[in-house]
Amino acid sequence: MAMLWKFMRVARYSKTALPPKVRGIPVHSRHFSSSKSVPSDFAASTTCLNTVELLGKSYPQDDYSNVTEKILSKVGKNLHNKKHHPLWLIKEQVKDHFYKQYTGRRGTPLFSVYDGLSPVVTVQQNFDSLLIPQNHASRKKEDNYYLNRDHMLRAHTSAHQWDLIHSGLDAFLAVGDVYRRDTIDNTHYPVFHQMEGVRLFSCHELFSNIKDGESFQLFEQGHRTAHKQECHTMEAVRLVEFNLKQVLTKLMTHIFGDGLQVRWVDCYFPFTHPSFEMEINFQGEWLEVLGCGVMEQQLVNSAGAQDKIGWAFGLGLERLAMILYDIPDIRLFWSEDERFLKQFIVPHIYQKIKFQPLSRYPPLINDISFWLPSETYSKNDFYELARTIGGDLIEKVVLLDEFTHPKTKKVSHCYRIVYRHPERTLTQNEVHRIHQAIEESAVRELGVEGRF
Protein backbone atom coordinates (compact mmCIF):
# COMPACT_ATOMS: atom_id res chain seq x y z
CA MET A 1 0.00 0.00 0.00
CA ALA A 2 1.78 2.99 -1.24
CA MET A 3 0.16 5.90 0.50
CA LEU A 4 2.23 4.79 3.45
CA TRP A 5 5.46 5.88 1.96
CA LYS A 6 8.21 4.26 1.96
CA PHE A 7 7.21 1.51 -0.53
CA MET A 8 7.19 -0.83 2.45
CA ARG A 9 8.66 -4.28 2.07
CA VAL A 10 6.46 -6.95 3.60
CA ALA A 11 7.47 -9.84 5.80
CA ARG A 12 10.95 -8.45 6.11
CA TYR A 13 13.05 -9.86 8.95
CA SER A 14 13.18 -7.31 11.77
CA LYS A 15 15.54 -7.49 14.70
CA THR A 16 13.94 -5.24 17.38
CA ALA A 17 6.99 -2.79 4.81
CA LEU A 18 -6.64 3.70 -15.87
CA PRO A 19 -8.00 6.44 -16.69
CA PRO A 20 -10.58 8.14 -14.46
CA LYS A 21 -12.64 4.94 -14.25
CA VAL A 22 -11.54 1.34 -14.18
CA ARG A 23 -12.57 -0.22 -17.45
CA GLY A 24 -13.88 -3.72 -17.33
CA ILE A 25 -14.96 -3.58 -13.66
CA PRO A 26 -18.73 -3.24 -13.68
CA VAL A 27 -20.26 -2.74 -10.26
CA HIS A 28 -22.58 -5.71 -10.71
CA SER A 29 -19.57 -8.07 -10.83
CA ARG A 30 -17.85 -6.62 -7.77
CA HIS A 31 -18.05 -9.84 -5.73
CA PHE A 32 -16.22 -11.98 -8.25
CA SER A 33 -12.54 -12.44 -8.94
CA SER A 34 -11.15 -10.98 -12.13
CA SER A 35 -8.39 -13.31 -13.23
CA LYS A 36 -7.93 -12.95 -16.97
CA SER A 37 -4.25 -13.59 -17.57
CA VAL A 38 -2.22 -12.46 -20.54
CA PRO A 39 -0.26 -15.31 -22.15
CA SER A 40 3.35 -14.56 -21.31
CA ASP A 41 4.62 -15.73 -24.71
CA PHE A 42 2.91 -12.73 -26.29
CA ALA A 43 3.31 -10.25 -23.44
CA ALA A 44 6.12 -8.09 -24.76
CA SER A 45 8.22 -7.40 -27.81
CA THR A 46 10.30 -4.56 -29.15
CA THR A 47 8.73 -3.48 -32.43
CA CYS A 48 11.50 -1.00 -33.23
CA LEU A 49 14.32 0.76 -31.45
CA ASN A 50 12.03 3.49 -30.13
CA THR A 51 8.86 1.56 -29.29
CA VAL A 52 7.94 -1.24 -26.91
CA GLU A 53 4.95 -3.48 -27.62
CA LEU A 54 3.56 -4.69 -24.29
CA LEU A 55 0.26 -6.46 -23.60
CA GLY A 56 -1.08 -5.48 -26.99
CA LYS A 57 -0.19 -1.77 -26.80
CA SER A 58 2.71 0.29 -28.14
CA TYR A 59 4.67 2.64 -25.90
CA PRO A 60 7.09 5.15 -27.45
CA GLN A 61 10.40 5.30 -25.57
CA ASP A 62 11.97 8.52 -24.33
CA ASP A 63 14.65 9.68 -21.90
CA TYR A 64 12.77 8.05 -18.98
CA SER A 65 12.57 4.57 -20.53
CA ASN A 66 14.62 2.10 -18.48
CA VAL A 67 12.72 -1.20 -18.52
CA THR A 68 14.89 -4.09 -19.73
CA GLU A 69 14.08 -7.12 -21.89
CA LYS A 70 14.55 -9.43 -18.90
CA ILE A 71 11.93 -7.52 -16.92
CA LEU A 72 9.57 -7.34 -19.88
CA SER A 73 9.82 -11.13 -20.18
CA LYS A 74 8.25 -11.44 -16.71
CA VAL A 75 5.18 -9.36 -17.60
CA GLY A 76 2.12 -11.55 -18.13
CA LYS A 77 3.45 -14.57 -16.20
CA ASN A 78 0.83 -13.94 -13.49
CA LEU A 79 2.22 -16.48 -11.02
CA HIS A 80 -0.51 -15.56 -8.52
CA ASN A 81 -3.11 -16.96 -10.94
CA LYS A 82 -1.33 -20.23 -11.76
CA LYS A 83 -3.18 -23.02 -10.01
CA HIS A 84 -1.13 -24.83 -7.35
CA HIS A 85 1.68 -22.30 -7.48
CA PRO A 86 2.63 -21.32 -3.89
CA LEU A 87 1.67 -17.68 -4.59
CA TRP A 88 -1.73 -18.85 -5.85
CA LEU A 89 -2.19 -20.92 -2.68
CA ILE A 90 -1.48 -17.89 -0.47
CA LYS A 91 -3.78 -15.67 -2.53
CA GLU A 92 -6.60 -18.22 -2.38
CA GLN A 93 -6.24 -18.60 1.40
CA VAL A 94 -6.50 -14.85 1.95
CA LYS A 95 -9.39 -14.57 -0.50
CA ASP A 96 -11.25 -17.47 1.13
CA HIS A 97 -10.80 -15.89 4.56
CA PHE A 98 -12.21 -12.52 3.46
CA TYR A 99 -15.11 -14.11 1.57
CA LYS A 100 -16.19 -16.13 4.61
CA GLN A 101 -15.35 -13.68 7.39
CA TYR A 102 -16.92 -10.53 5.92
CA THR A 103 -20.36 -10.73 4.30
CA GLY A 104 -23.09 -8.28 3.46
CA ARG A 105 -26.74 -8.31 4.48
CA ARG A 106 -27.67 -11.01 1.95
CA GLY A 107 -24.71 -13.22 2.82
CA THR A 108 -22.69 -12.23 -0.25
CA PRO A 109 -18.97 -11.43 0.16
CA LEU A 110 -18.31 -7.86 1.25
CA PHE A 111 -14.87 -7.73 -0.37
CA SER A 112 -14.46 -8.09 -4.12
CA VAL A 113 -11.18 -9.38 -5.53
CA TYR A 114 -9.34 -8.09 -8.63
CA ASP A 115 -6.33 -10.16 -9.66
CA GLY A 116 -6.16 -9.50 -13.40
CA LEU A 117 -5.55 -5.73 -13.62
CA SER A 118 -2.81 -4.68 -16.03
CA PRO A 119 0.61 -4.05 -14.47
CA VAL A 120 1.15 -1.19 -16.92
CA VAL A 121 -0.11 1.99 -15.29
CA THR A 122 0.27 5.69 -15.76
CA VAL A 123 2.58 7.77 -13.62
CA GLN A 124 -0.56 9.56 -12.47
CA GLN A 125 -2.01 6.29 -11.16
CA ASN A 126 1.19 5.15 -9.50
CA PHE A 127 2.09 8.46 -7.84
CA ASP A 128 -0.19 11.46 -8.37
CA SER A 129 -3.42 9.73 -7.35
CA LEU A 130 -1.72 8.70 -4.09
CA LEU A 131 -0.69 12.30 -3.33
CA ILE A 132 3.02 11.58 -3.72
CA PRO A 133 4.77 14.93 -4.43
CA GLN A 134 6.51 15.56 -7.72
CA ASN A 135 9.91 15.78 -6.05
CA HIS A 136 9.51 12.70 -3.84
CA ALA A 137 12.37 10.18 -3.87
CA SER A 138 9.99 7.31 -4.65
CA ARG A 139 9.57 8.59 -8.22
CA LYS A 140 13.25 8.22 -9.15
CA LYS A 141 14.22 6.27 -12.24
CA GLU A 142 16.72 4.41 -10.08
CA ASP A 143 13.87 2.79 -8.14
CA ASN A 144 11.23 2.16 -10.83
CA TYR A 145 10.72 0.67 -14.27
CA TYR A 146 9.49 3.33 -16.69
CA LEU A 147 8.20 2.63 -20.19
CA ASN A 148 8.34 6.37 -20.78
CA ARG A 149 7.59 9.56 -18.86
CA ASP A 150 3.87 8.80 -18.75
CA HIS A 151 3.73 5.01 -18.32
CA MET A 152 5.47 2.52 -16.06
CA LEU A 153 5.24 -0.95 -14.58
CA ARG A 154 3.35 -0.49 -11.32
CA ALA A 155 5.55 -0.29 -8.23
CA HIS A 156 2.64 -1.30 -5.95
CA THR A 157 -0.95 -2.43 -6.20
CA SER A 158 -1.89 0.89 -4.58
CA ALA A 159 -1.75 2.25 -8.14
CA HIS A 160 -5.34 0.93 -8.50
CA GLN A 161 -6.79 2.39 -5.29
CA TRP A 162 -8.17 5.60 -6.75
CA ASP A 163 -9.68 3.89 -9.79
CA LEU A 164 -11.40 1.15 -7.81
CA ILE A 165 -12.83 3.59 -5.26
CA HIS A 166 -13.92 5.88 -8.08
CA SER A 167 -15.76 2.98 -9.74
CA GLY A 168 -17.97 2.71 -6.64
CA LEU A 169 -16.22 0.03 -4.59
CA ASP A 170 -15.76 0.45 -0.85
CA ALA A 171 -14.27 -2.95 0.10
CA PHE A 172 -11.83 -4.76 -2.17
CA LEU A 173 -8.61 -6.72 -2.54
CA ALA A 174 -6.32 -6.04 -5.52
CA VAL A 175 -3.63 -8.61 -6.34
CA GLY A 176 -0.88 -8.47 -8.91
CA ASP A 177 2.76 -8.43 -9.90
CA VAL A 178 4.71 -5.27 -9.03
CA TYR A 179 8.10 -4.08 -10.24
CA ARG A 180 10.93 -2.29 -8.40
CA ARG A 181 14.63 -1.86 -8.98
CA ASP A 182 16.24 -3.02 -5.77
CA THR A 183 19.05 -4.84 -4.03
CA ILE A 184 19.90 -8.45 -4.87
CA ASP A 185 19.61 -11.15 -2.21
CA ASN A 186 17.46 -14.16 -1.33
CA THR A 187 14.46 -12.03 -0.25
CA HIS A 188 14.50 -9.32 -2.95
CA TYR A 189 13.58 -9.67 -6.61
CA PRO A 190 12.70 -7.00 -9.20
CA VAL A 191 9.26 -8.59 -9.67
CA PHE A 192 7.12 -9.69 -6.75
CA HIS A 193 3.43 -10.01 -5.97
CA GLN A 194 1.39 -7.79 -3.72
CA MET A 195 -2.11 -7.73 -2.28
CA GLU A 196 -3.87 -4.47 -1.51
CA GLY A 197 -6.80 -4.30 0.90
CA VAL A 198 -9.14 -1.30 1.17
CA ARG A 199 -12.28 -0.74 3.27
CA LEU A 200 -14.38 2.42 3.46
CA PHE A 201 -17.01 3.16 6.12
CA SER A 202 -20.00 5.46 6.17
CA CYS A 203 -20.88 7.21 9.41
CA HIS A 204 -23.64 4.67 10.09
CA GLU A 205 -21.38 1.67 9.44
CA LEU A 206 -18.68 2.93 11.76
CA PHE A 207 -20.79 4.10 14.70
CA SER A 208 -23.93 1.91 14.53
CA ASN A 209 -22.75 -0.48 17.26
CA ILE A 210 -21.29 2.20 19.51
CA LYS A 211 -23.17 3.52 22.52
CA ASP A 212 -24.48 7.01 21.73
CA GLY A 213 -22.98 6.51 18.26
CA GLU A 214 -25.56 8.82 16.70
CA SER A 215 -23.80 11.76 18.33
CA PHE A 216 -20.45 11.02 16.67
CA GLN A 217 -19.22 12.39 13.34
CA LEU A 218 -16.59 11.29 10.85
CA PHE A 219 -15.16 14.73 10.17
CA GLU A 220 -14.44 18.01 11.86
CA GLN A 221 -12.76 21.31 11.12
CA GLY A 222 -9.61 20.31 12.97
CA HIS A 223 -5.89 20.14 12.39
CA ARG A 224 -3.36 17.39 11.69
CA THR A 225 -1.60 15.79 14.63
CA ALA A 226 0.59 12.73 15.12
CA HIS A 227 -2.58 10.78 16.01
CA LYS A 228 -5.07 11.79 13.33
CA GLN A 229 -5.50 13.49 9.98
CA GLU A 230 -6.67 17.05 9.65
CA CYS A 231 -10.37 16.49 9.10
CA HIS A 232 -10.99 13.18 10.94
CA THR A 233 -12.53 13.18 14.38
CA MET A 234 -10.54 11.32 17.01
CA GLU A 235 -13.44 8.88 17.56
CA ALA A 236 -13.50 7.99 13.85
CA VAL A 237 -9.74 7.47 13.66
CA ARG A 238 -9.67 5.23 16.72
CA LEU A 239 -12.52 3.05 15.46
CA VAL A 240 -11.01 2.68 11.98
CA GLU A 241 -7.65 1.85 13.52
CA PHE A 242 -9.25 -0.72 15.83
CA ASN A 243 -11.13 -2.35 12.96
CA LEU A 244 -8.02 -2.53 10.80
CA LYS A 245 -5.94 -4.15 13.53
CA GLN A 246 -8.69 -6.69 14.17
CA VAL A 247 -8.90 -7.57 10.47
CA LEU A 248 -5.15 -8.05 10.13
CA THR A 249 -4.73 -9.99 13.36
CA LYS A 250 -7.47 -12.39 12.25
CA LEU A 251 -5.84 -12.73 8.84
CA MET A 252 -2.41 -13.58 10.24
CA THR A 253 -3.92 -16.07 12.69
CA HIS A 254 -5.88 -17.62 9.82
CA ILE A 255 -2.70 -18.10 7.75
CA PHE A 256 -0.18 -19.04 10.44
CA GLY A 257 -2.36 -20.49 13.17
CA ASP A 258 -3.02 -19.62 16.80
CA GLY A 259 -0.32 -18.63 19.25
CA LEU A 260 1.12 -15.73 17.26
CA GLN A 261 2.26 -12.66 19.13
CA VAL A 262 1.40 -9.45 17.30
CA ARG A 263 2.80 -5.98 17.84
CA TRP A 264 2.27 -2.69 16.05
CA VAL A 265 4.98 -0.19 15.21
CA ASP A 266 3.87 3.38 14.56
CA CYS A 267 5.20 4.90 11.35
CA TYR A 268 4.69 8.58 10.62
CA PHE A 269 4.70 9.11 6.89
CA PRO A 270 3.93 12.36 5.06
CA PHE A 271 0.67 11.20 3.51
CA THR A 272 -1.15 9.01 6.00
CA HIS A 273 -1.70 9.26 9.75
CA PRO A 274 -1.82 7.10 11.68
CA SER A 275 0.24 4.42 9.94
CA PHE A 276 1.57 1.11 11.19
CA GLU A 277 3.83 -1.77 10.43
CA MET A 278 2.46 -5.05 11.72
CA GLU A 279 4.98 -7.49 13.18
CA ILE A 280 4.36 -11.03 14.30
CA ASN A 281 6.62 -13.30 16.34
CA PHE A 282 7.09 -16.39 14.24
CA GLN A 283 9.54 -19.13 15.14
CA GLY A 284 11.32 -16.90 17.60
CA GLU A 285 11.87 -13.89 15.34
CA TRP A 286 9.84 -10.74 14.82
CA LEU A 287 8.72 -10.43 11.23
CA GLU A 288 7.28 -7.29 9.67
CA VAL A 289 4.47 -8.57 7.51
CA LEU A 290 2.73 -5.50 6.14
CA GLY A 291 2.12 -1.78 6.27
CA CYS A 292 -1.26 -0.26 6.93
CA GLY A 293 -3.07 2.83 8.07
CA VAL A 294 -6.03 5.19 7.89
CA MET A 295 -6.37 6.43 4.31
CA GLU A 296 -5.59 10.02 3.44
CA GLN A 297 -8.97 11.74 3.17
CA GLN A 298 -7.92 13.85 0.23
CA LEU A 299 -7.44 10.65 -1.78
CA VAL A 300 -10.84 9.30 -0.73
CA ASN A 301 -12.53 12.61 -1.50
CA SER A 302 -10.95 12.97 -4.94
CA ALA A 303 -12.15 9.46 -5.86
CA GLY A 304 -15.75 10.46 -5.13
CA ALA A 305 -16.32 8.99 -1.65
CA GLN A 306 -16.44 12.25 0.30
CA ASP A 307 -18.81 10.93 2.97
CA LYS A 308 -16.63 7.94 3.96
CA ILE A 309 -13.49 7.18 5.91
CA GLY A 310 -11.29 4.14 5.32
CA TRP A 311 -8.21 2.03 5.91
CA ALA A 312 -5.82 0.30 3.55
CA PHE A 313 -3.09 -2.31 3.87
CA GLY A 314 -0.49 -3.89 1.62
CA LEU A 315 1.20 -7.28 1.93
CA GLY A 316 3.66 -9.26 -0.18
CA LEU A 317 2.71 -12.78 -1.21
CA GLU A 318 6.29 -14.03 -1.66
CA ARG A 319 7.28 -13.11 1.88
CA LEU A 320 4.23 -14.78 3.39
CA ALA A 321 4.78 -17.90 1.28
CA MET A 322 8.46 -18.01 2.24
CA ILE A 323 7.48 -18.05 5.91
CA LEU A 324 4.52 -20.43 5.60
CA TYR A 325 6.22 -22.99 3.35
CA ASP A 326 9.83 -22.43 4.47
CA ILE A 327 11.04 -21.45 0.98
CA PRO A 328 14.59 -20.09 1.36
CA ASP A 329 15.13 -18.19 -1.91
CA ILE A 330 12.74 -15.80 -3.68
CA ARG A 331 14.12 -16.87 -7.08
CA LEU A 332 12.50 -20.27 -6.63
CA PHE A 333 9.04 -18.79 -7.25
CA TRP A 334 10.06 -18.37 -10.89
CA SER A 335 11.40 -21.91 -11.19
CA GLU A 336 9.90 -24.25 -13.78
CA ASP A 337 11.63 -27.24 -12.19
CA GLU A 338 9.08 -29.99 -11.54
CA ARG A 339 10.87 -30.83 -8.29
CA PHE A 340 9.76 -27.44 -6.99
CA LEU A 341 6.32 -27.13 -8.56
CA LYS A 342 5.08 -30.64 -7.71
CA GLN A 343 5.49 -29.96 -3.99
CA PHE A 344 2.55 -27.55 -4.15
CA ILE A 345 0.09 -29.75 -6.03
CA VAL A 346 -2.16 -30.49 -3.06
CA PRO A 347 -5.83 -31.51 -2.69
CA HIS A 348 -6.88 -28.29 -0.94
CA ILE A 349 -5.41 -24.83 -0.35
CA TYR A 350 -4.92 -25.36 3.39
CA GLN A 351 -2.81 -28.50 3.02
CA LYS A 352 0.28 -28.22 5.25
CA ILE A 353 3.42 -28.04 3.11
CA LYS A 354 7.04 -27.89 4.17
CA PHE A 355 9.26 -27.20 1.20
CA GLN A 356 11.86 -29.88 0.58
CA PRO A 357 14.98 -28.12 -0.73
CA LEU A 358 16.38 -29.00 -4.09
CA SER A 359 20.02 -30.08 -4.05
CA ARG A 360 22.08 -27.18 -2.70
CA TYR A 361 24.63 -26.39 -5.36
CA PRO A 362 27.91 -24.68 -4.37
CA PRO A 363 28.26 -20.91 -4.80
CA LEU A 364 30.94 -19.23 -6.88
CA ILE A 365 32.07 -15.87 -5.54
CA ASN A 366 33.66 -13.01 -7.50
CA ASP A 367 34.40 -9.44 -6.45
CA ILE A 368 34.30 -6.33 -8.61
CA SER A 369 35.63 -2.88 -7.69
CA PHE A 370 35.66 0.42 -9.54
CA TRP A 371 35.93 4.17 -9.11
CA LEU A 372 32.56 5.88 -9.29
CA PRO A 373 31.74 8.59 -11.80
CA SER A 374 30.17 11.81 -10.58
CA GLU A 375 26.98 12.09 -8.53
CA THR A 376 24.98 10.41 -11.31
CA TYR A 377 25.91 6.91 -10.04
CA SER A 378 23.29 4.83 -8.23
CA LYS A 379 23.78 1.42 -6.59
CA ASN A 380 20.46 0.31 -8.05
CA ASP A 381 21.84 0.99 -11.54
CA PHE A 382 24.65 -1.48 -10.88
CA TYR A 383 22.29 -4.03 -9.38
CA GLU A 384 20.05 -3.74 -12.43
CA LEU A 385 23.02 -4.12 -14.77
CA ALA A 386 24.16 -7.25 -12.91
CA ARG A 387 20.63 -8.71 -13.02
CA THR A 388 20.29 -7.96 -16.72
CA ILE A 389 23.50 -9.81 -17.56
CA GLY A 390 23.57 -12.55 -14.90
CA GLY A 391 19.84 -13.04 -14.42
CA ASP A 392 18.85 -15.64 -11.85
CA LEU A 393 22.37 -17.07 -11.79
CA ILE A 394 23.16 -14.27 -9.34
CA GLU A 395 22.06 -15.10 -5.82
CA LYS A 396 23.35 -12.00 -4.04
CA VAL A 397 25.24 -8.75 -4.59
CA VAL A 398 26.73 -7.07 -1.51
CA LEU A 399 28.51 -3.73 -1.24
CA LEU A 400 31.64 -5.04 0.44
CA ASP A 401 33.68 -1.86 0.79
CA GLU A 402 33.43 1.86 0.13
CA PHE A 403 36.64 3.90 -0.01
CA THR A 404 37.30 7.61 -0.56
CA HIS A 405 40.76 8.53 -1.81
CA PRO A 406 42.26 11.05 0.63
CA LYS A 407 43.77 13.22 -2.13
CA THR A 408 41.53 12.92 -5.17
CA LYS A 409 38.32 12.42 -3.14
CA LYS A 410 37.26 9.85 -5.70
CA VAL A 411 34.99 7.14 -4.30
CA SER A 412 35.56 3.44 -4.92
CA HIS A 413 32.99 0.65 -4.44
CA CYS A 414 33.79 -3.02 -4.10
CA TYR A 415 30.91 -5.46 -4.61
CA ARG A 416 30.84 -9.18 -3.91
CA ILE A 417 28.73 -11.15 -6.38
CA VAL A 418 27.57 -14.61 -5.33
CA TYR A 419 26.69 -16.83 -8.28
CA ARG A 420 24.59 -19.93 -7.64
CA HIS A 421 22.08 -21.65 -9.88
CA PRO A 422 19.11 -23.04 -7.92
CA GLU A 423 18.88 -26.13 -10.13
CA ARG A 424 22.42 -27.09 -11.28
CA THR A 425 26.13 -26.57 -10.67
CA LEU A 426 27.78 -23.60 -12.37
CA THR A 427 31.24 -23.89 -13.90
CA GLN A 428 34.09 -21.44 -13.32
CA ASN A 429 34.29 -20.69 -17.04
CA GLU A 430 30.57 -19.94 -17.23
CA VAL A 431 30.74 -17.56 -14.29
CA HIS A 432 33.95 -15.94 -15.56
CA ARG A 433 32.28 -14.99 -18.85
CA ILE A 434 29.30 -13.48 -17.03
CA HIS A 435 31.49 -11.60 -14.55
CA GLN A 436 33.68 -10.22 -17.33
CA ALA A 437 30.57 -9.04 -19.19
CA ILE A 438 29.40 -7.24 -16.03
CA GLU A 439 32.79 -5.53 -15.70
CA GLU A 440 32.79 -4.37 -19.31
CA SER A 441 29.17 -3.20 -19.17
CA ALA A 442 29.74 -1.28 -15.93
CA VAL A 443 32.50 0.72 -17.64
CA ARG A 444 30.50 1.23 -20.82
CA GLU A 445 27.02 1.83 -19.37
CA LEU A 446 27.67 3.40 -15.97
CA GLY A 447 30.85 5.34 -16.74
CA VAL A 448 32.84 3.80 -13.88
CA GLU A 449 36.61 3.38 -13.92
CA GLY A 450 37.45 -0.26 -13.42
CA ARG A 451 39.89 -1.57 -10.82
CA PHE A 452 39.74 -5.07 -12.28
Side-chain angles (χ1 to χ4, degrees):
M1 157 189 119
M3 320 109 34
L4 309 177
W5 174 242
K6 55 187 180 185
F7 281 160
M8 274 184 282
R9 283 291 186 195
V10 296
R12 169 173 85 235
Y13 284 94
S14 174
K15 295 295 183 184
T16 15
L18 296 165
K21 293 207 176 192
V22 179
R23 297 179 181 178
I25 307 180
V27 174
H28 66 265
S29 66
R30 58 199 296 177
H31 296 300
F32 296 91
S33 172
S34 171
S35 57
K36 294 181 180 178
S37 300
V38 180
S40 58
D41 293 344
F42 306 96
S45 63
T46 303
T47 56
C48 66
L49 290 177
N50 298 317
T51 305
V52 171
E53 184 78 18
L54 186 59
L55 302 180
K57 295 184 179 180
S58 296
Y59 298 92
Q61 297 183 332
D62 56 27
D63 60 324
Y64 248 63
S65 305
N66 67 352
V67 64
T68 64
E69 288 293 334
K70 281 191 178 293
I71 295 301
L72 289 173
S73 71
K74 305 290 187 183
V75 178
K77 296 288 188 179
N78 297 312
L79 300 183
H80 60 290
N81 287 333
K82 288 192 173 182
K83 193 171 183 179
H84 297 302
H85 191 279
L87 298 179
W88 176 84
L89 291 173
I90 284 285
K91 182 199 74 172
E92 290 299 307
Q93 288 186 34
V94 176
K95 187 171 75 172
D96 183 62
H97 171 73
F98 273 87
Y99 276 3
K100 292 177 179 177
Q101 189 73 30
Y102 308 100
T103 57
R105 294 178 181 177
R106 298 181 179 179
T108 55
L110 185 65
F111 283 81
S112 50
V113 178
Y114 299 95
D115 55 12
L117 301 174
S118 173
V120 179
V121 297
T122 64
V123 172
Q124 192 279 334
Q125 287 174 293
N126 201 79
F127 295 121
D128 298 339
S129 70
L130 300 170
L131 313 179
I132 297 175
Q134 290 289 333
N135 61 350
H136 200 276
S138 64
R139 294 176 179 256
K140 291 190 302 183
K141 286 175 61 177
E142 291 84 353
D143 296 328
N144 301 285
Y145 289 105
Y146 284 92
L147 295 174
N148 51 42
R149 282 186 171 270
D150 298 320
H151 294 86
M152 63 187 297
L153 298 178
R154 62 187 169 208
H156 41 223
T157 45
S158 302
H160 303 292
Q161 277 185 8
W162 192 95
D163 296 311
L164 291 169
I165 293 172
H166 190 61
S167 70
L169 303 178
D170 54 17
F172 58 83
L173 303 175
V175 194
D177 44 334
V178 298
Y179 300 76
R180 300 180 194 168
R181 302 174 90 213
D182 210 337
T183 55
I184 302 176
D185 58 37
N186 68 327
T187 62
H188 292 85
Y189 200 78
V191 190
F192 60 102
H193 296 75
Q194 206 173 54
M195 177 177 284
E196 194 84 8
V198 170
R199 174 77 194 276
L200 302 181
F201 301 88
S202 66
C203 187
H204 173 74
E205 289 171 325
L206 194 61
F207 297 123
S208 61
N209 295 322
I210 304 299
K211 184 180 179 181
D212 300 324
E214 64 276 1
S215 63
F216 294 143
Q217 300 295 323
L218 295 179
F219 310 111
E220 65 179 9
Q221 295 299 318
H223 61 280
R224 181 183 291 276
T225 71
H227 304 288
K228 73 177 189 69
Q229 296 178 15
E230 181 176 2
C231 59
H232 293 159
T233 63
M234 185 61 76
E235 295 83 5
V237 168
R238 286 176 174 169
L239 282 174
V240 172
E241 174 188 333
F242 177 74
N243 180 269
L244 172 58
K245 289 180 176 180
Q246 273 194 322
V247 168
L248 294 177
T249 301
K250 288 180 180 179
L251 176 60
M252 291 301 107
T253 301
H254 175 75
I255 294 175
F256 296 111
D258 295 325
L260 290 177
Q261 289 182 303
V262 176
R263 69 182 180 188
W264 301 88
V265 182
D266 291 340
C267 308
Y268 298 104
F269 299 105
F271 315 118
T272 307
H273 291 274
S275 305
F276 314 97
E277 290 176 2
M278 181 185 185
E279 294 182 349
I280 61 174
N281 191 284
F282 192 75
Q283 294 182 345
E285 184 136 20
W286 286 102
L287 305 174
E288 175 195 313
V289 295
L290 45 84
C292 52
V294 180
M295 295 186 72
E296 179 67 47
Q297 196 59 38
Q298 185 180 341
L299 186 162
V300 178
N301 289 347
S302 67
Q306 294 91 341
D307 58 343
K308 296 181 179 180
I309 183 176
W311 52 247
F313 69 75
L315 59 86
L317 300 185
E318 276 88 346
R319 302 302 176 82
L320 293 178
M322 290 176 80
I323 298 169
L324 184 61
Y325 302 130
D326 201 20
I327 299 174
D329 193 322
I330 196 170
R331 293 177 299 166
L332 285 167
F333 291 103
W334 295 90
S335 175
E336 296 182 358
D337 191 324
E338 287 298 311
R339 293 174 299 167
F340 174 77
L341 297 173
K342 282 184 176 179
Q343 295 187 42
F344 301 94
I345 300 177
V346 289
H348 59 84
I349 60 175
Y350 294 110
Q351 175 77 43
K352 288 188 179 296
I353 304 170
K354 181 173 175 59
F355 172 66
Q356 299 301 314
L358 312 181
S359 298
R360 190 64 168 170
Y361 298 97
L364 294 177
I365 299 173
N366 287 262
D367 294 346
I368 179 172
S369 60
F370 44 74
W371 296 107
L372 306 188
S374 61
E375 63 280 354
T376 58
Y377 176 81
S378 165
K379 285 186 292 185
N380 277 357
D381 287 339
F382 178 70
Y383 296 146
E384 184 64 22
L385 182 146
R387 278 196 190 279
T388 299
I389 296 173
D392 286 353
L393 301 186
I394 297 180
E395 179 179 80
K396 183 187 300 185
V397 178
V398 180
L399 178 57
L400 205 61
D401 179 64
E402 186 171 353
F403 168 73
T404 302
H405 195 284
K407 292 184 179 180
T408 64
K409 303 303 179 184
K410 293 177 65 176
V411 178
S412 171
H413 278 188
C414 178
Y415 294 89
R416 172 154 293 173
I417 304 180
V418 180
Y419 298 88
R420 185 188 339 236
H421 197 292
E423 298 166 7
R424 63 179 176 85
T425 299
L426 295 173
T427 66
Q428 287 285 359
N429 286 339
E430 185 178 10
V431 168
H432 176 73
R433 289 195 298 271
I434 296 171
H435 196 75
Q436 188 174 24
I438 292 174
E439 291 175 339
E440 294 170 354
S441 293
V443 173
R444 183 174 61 253
E445 305 294 336
L446 302 183
V448 304
E449 181 183 342
R451 302 179 69 188
F452 316 139

